């Protein structure tokens, strides 16, 4: 099965000679079809450069990129892809409906019913006849997403898709992304800084730092493993004495590295030692923690 | 694919009403209103001293609108909106995921050519209307001393002159827009270049040396004068250079637009 996006030794440098800046090193990546794939990394890591290289907006300095199995990235393959890169790219003098008309023409489409359906899907039917320049950031984001969805893409590339969205909008975006993948078989590659959202919506993720791939894998596997227990109790010193080397003080509580099945016995020990336990919370490994520890190691 | 891009370009231009009016609609409106004011002034304060008026002669002068600086500035603004707009609104990344780069640029050039052609024809019609009003007021003849074939050829030659001249200017705007990625730079650099061409041709001996044909305004004037010679039997200093002026303008257009397209195809759009 061909990958949705495949890179081999892909690199991009800006400038020449000693002043050259490497935006992307030699990146080897294979993103399978039919999943939501997250590209994560700090600012300047090379995420947007990777996505622009995939779309042919910038030319690689070295290596190669294959999009939907095609080595030559031209409109023939790009018309199978929907993309929203960085800030929404919109014509300020067009309304949402006119924006759809314009992009439909660029894509060689003539299907006004589809345009209306997409506007409804991104929640802009009521504002369809307002100029894009009057839109809030969240509305612009929705319109750009609608434009990306217009041609029924096989692959959707979304760069920070939840930027400017309110909490309800973020939840709608999450639902929409999962629907597109689970019901319509679309492949989605997204980059985001909201790691909690990425954890909820992505199947696989890649961590990129300074243009290099640091780590890659299934989200479920990355966050699997030993969790930890947060305990808020008094007196703290006495609780630490019970936990020994398993505990460390964290603010007004203690984080204990214990197995989940050992929790009841530990709490019984604390109570029987005369310690008042106000809070005991099991913390699963989050993608954010994985990200921070991975990026910390990569610095 | 070029048809898809052209449909999108024409649609965007039609919806960008304010900019499209000042770039392409203002010129004919100005030609009409300035002509009417001029006629009114002549009839009210000077009297009907002009013995001959011809709407067809006026329409020919309408096609020569691009020898007037203000009309050139409008055309330059129109070209800048079309060629530099995607950089200004950062929309290349949305359109170039739907069409390839060469068809995208070619569609922009065709859209400009269509818009400026319409504008030129409307300028000609506007001047013709003024001519008919003038003929009605003065009771003078409305047919020039020339045959229908000569009139048609003269109009075609005048149209070709202005069209080629503004297309060279548009290709220059296109090149500056691609290099600078800025609308203001495209307008300012082109206006300054045209002013430099005007000054150079005034200070030099533009009428006697074919080297001045490299300036689009001189080449355009040479062709227009040839058109006037056909219809009005009016001699022009530059008319003899017209057969050379046409290929000069065509070559300039091809060189400038080719350079712009070649740069654009290789351009990294890391940030428009």
């Amino acid at each position: 099965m061909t990958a949705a996006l495949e890179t081999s030794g892909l690199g991009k440098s800006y400038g020449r000679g000693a002043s050259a800046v490497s935006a992307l090193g030699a990146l080897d990546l294979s993103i399978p079809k039919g999943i939501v794939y997250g590209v994560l990394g700090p600012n300047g890591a090379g995420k947007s450069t990777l996505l622009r290289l995939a779309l042919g907006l910038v030319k690689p300095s070295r290596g190669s990129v294959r999009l939907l199995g095609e080595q030559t990235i031209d409109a023939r393959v790009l018309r199978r892809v929907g993309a929203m890169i960085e800030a929404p790219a919109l014509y300020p003098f067009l309304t949402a409906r006119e924006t759809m008309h314009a992009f439909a023409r660029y894509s060689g489409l003539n299907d006004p019913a589809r345009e209306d359906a997409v506007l409804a899907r991104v929640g802009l039917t009521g504002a369809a006849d307002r100029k894009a320049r009057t839109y809030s950031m969240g509305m612009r984001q929705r319109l750009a997403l609608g434009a990306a969805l217009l041609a029924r893409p096989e692959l959707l590339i979304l760069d920070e898709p939840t930027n400017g969205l309110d909490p309800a909008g973020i939840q709608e975006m999450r639902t929409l992304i999962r629907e597109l993948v689970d019901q319509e078989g679309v492949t989605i590659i997204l980059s985001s800084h909201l790691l909690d959202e990425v954890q909820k919506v992505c199947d696989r993720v890649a961590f990129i730092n300074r243009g290099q791939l640091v780590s890659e894998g299934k989200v479920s596997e990355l966050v699997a493993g030993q969790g930890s227990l947060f305990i808020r109790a008094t007196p703290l010193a006495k609780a630490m004495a019970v936990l020994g080397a398993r505990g460390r003080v964290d603010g007004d509580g203690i984080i204990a590295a214990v197995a989940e099945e050992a929790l009841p016995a530990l709490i019984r020990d604390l109570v029987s030692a005369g310690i008042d336990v106000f809070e005991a919370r099991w913390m699963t490994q989050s993608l954010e923690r994985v990200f921070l520890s991975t990026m910390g190691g990569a610095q | 694919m070029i048809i898809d891009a052209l449909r999108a370009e024409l649609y965007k231009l039609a919806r960008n009403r304010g900019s499209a009016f000042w770039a392409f609609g203002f010129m004919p409106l100005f030609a009409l209103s300035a002509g009417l004011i001029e006629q009114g002034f002549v009839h009210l304060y000077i009297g009907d001293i002009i013995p001959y008026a011809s709407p067809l002669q006026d329409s020919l002068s309408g096609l020569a609108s691009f020898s007037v600086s203000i009309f050139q500035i409008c055309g330059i603004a129109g070209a800048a909106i079309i060629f530099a707009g995607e950089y200004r609104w950062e929309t290349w990344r949305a359109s170039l995921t739907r069409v390839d780069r060469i068809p995208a640029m070619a569609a922009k050039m065709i859209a400009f050519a269509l818009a400026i052609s319409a504008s030129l024809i409307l300028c000609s019609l506007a001047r013709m209307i003024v001519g008919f009003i003038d003929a009605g007021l003065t009771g003078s003849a409305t047919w020039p001393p020339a045959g229908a074939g000569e009139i048609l050829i003269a109009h075609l030659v005048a149209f070709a002159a202005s069209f080629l001249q503004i297309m060279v200017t548009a290709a220059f705007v296109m090149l500056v827009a691609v290099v600078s990625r800025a609308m203001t730079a495209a307008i300012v650099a082109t206006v300054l270049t045209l002013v430099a061409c005007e000054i150079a041709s005034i200070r030099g001996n533009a009428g006697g040396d074919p080297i001045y044909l490299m300036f689009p305004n001189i080449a355009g004037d040479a062709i227009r004068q040839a058109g006037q010679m056909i219809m009005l039997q009016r001699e022009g200093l530059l008319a003899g250079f017209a057969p050379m002026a046409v290929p000069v303008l065509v070559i300039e257009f091809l060189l400038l637009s080719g350079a712009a397209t070649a740069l654009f195809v290789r351009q990294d759009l890391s940030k428009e």
Side-chain angles (χ1 to χ4, degrees), chain A residues 23-55:
Chain A
L24 205 62
L27 191 70
D28 295 307
L29 198 63
S30 181
I31 300 178
K33 286 183 177 175
I35 63 165
V36 185
Y37 194 95
V39 179
L40 309 178
N43 289 335
K47 306 185 296 290
S48 294
T49 302
L50 169 64
L51 301 184
R52 283 183 183 264
L53 281 162
L55 294 167

Side-chain angles (χ1 to χ4, degrees), chain A residues 172-186:
Chain A
E172 280 173 39
M173 179 71 79
R174 196 166 62 216
T175 308
L176 176 63
I177 287 171
R178 284 304 340 170
E179 275 178 10
L180 287 166
V181 174
D182 300 334
Q183 295 170 19
E184 298 176 30
V186 176

Side-chain angles (χ1 to χ4, degrees), chain B residues 193-241:
Chain B
T193 305
L194 286 185
V195 169
C197 287
E198 294 273 359
I199 292 170
S201 50
I202 290 167
R203 293 184 70 177
N205 180 18
D209 192 343
I211 191 72
Y212 286 95
L213 292 177
M214 70 179 187
F215 300 132
N217 56 317
I218 298 295
D221 282 345
I223 305 169
R224 275 187 289 270
Q225 284 182 16
Q228 287 180 342
M229 211 167 74
I230 293 166
M231 188 170 126
L232 304 170
Q233 283 80 48
R234 187 185 290 166
E235 287 297 325
L237 197 60
L238 296 166
F241 293 138

Side-chain angles (χ1 to χ4, degrees), chain B residues 25-56:
Chain B
F26 173 71
M27 293 185 284
L29 202 63
F30 182 80
L32 181 67
S33 51
L36 290 175
I37 291 167
E38 181 193 332
Q39 294 299 347
F41 179 80
V42 167
H43 290 294
L44 285 173
Y45 295 102
I46 300 175
D48 298 330
I49 57 168
I50 304 166
Y52 165 75
S54 167
L56 290 169

Side-chain angles (χ1 to χ4, degrees), chain A residues 126-142:
Chain A
D129 295 312
R130 272 175 55 192
K131 302 268 188 209
R133 64 167 164 258
T134 67
Y135 276 13
S136 67
M137 182 61 191
M139 292 169 85
R140 291 169 61 82
Q141 199 79 0
R142 285 164 186 266

Side-chain angles (χ1 to χ4, degrees), chain A residues 88-120:
Chain A
L90 301 170
Y91 300 101
F93 51 85
L94 296 183
T95 65
R97 202 182 300 281
E98 290 166 350
T99 300
M100 288 293 159
H101 287 333
F103 286 129
R105 280 165 168 78
Y106 271 124
S107 300
L109 301 173
N110 185 18
D111 187 356
R114 170 69 183 164
E115 294 165 23
D116 289 342
V118 168
L119 282 174

